[in-house]
Amino acid sequence: MRKLIVQQWVTVDNIAAEEDGGLSFVSGEPFSEKTNPAFKASMMRFIDSIDTMILGANTYAQS
């Protein structure tokens, strides 16, 4: 059996980004140079555990 983890951002204007399309309001930049190495390792373990990710069209186009 798999786990399903859902993260959904819902907004009044249907856009979860800044006017320029940026996402700087998202906290916890896991891969900046200032980030604690233990936190980075924890994030990488989480990312490595994901086998399927579904993105919206705009997010997919940015990746």
Side-chain angles (χ1 to χ4, degrees), residues 3-62:
K3 285 185 184 179
L4 174 64
I5 300 170
V6 176
Q7 179 182 33
Q8 182 175 3
W9 293 353
V10 179
T11 63
V12 174
D13 63 359
N14 203 31
I15 298 174
E18 296 161 349
E19 288 183 12
D20 65 356
L23 298 173
S24 66
F25 63 90
V26 178
S27 63
E29 297 177 26
F31 304 109
S32 76
E33 296 197 12
K34 299 176 184 177
T35 305
N36 179 314
F39 180 71
K40 284 183 185 180
S42 172
M43 288 299 297
M44 287 308 297
R45 281 192 302 276
F46 172 70
I47 290 169
D48 288 343
S49 73
I50 298 170
D51 65 9
T52 304
M53 184 180 291
I54 300 172
L55 304 173
N58 291 335
T59 306
Y60 178 79
Q62 293 177 14

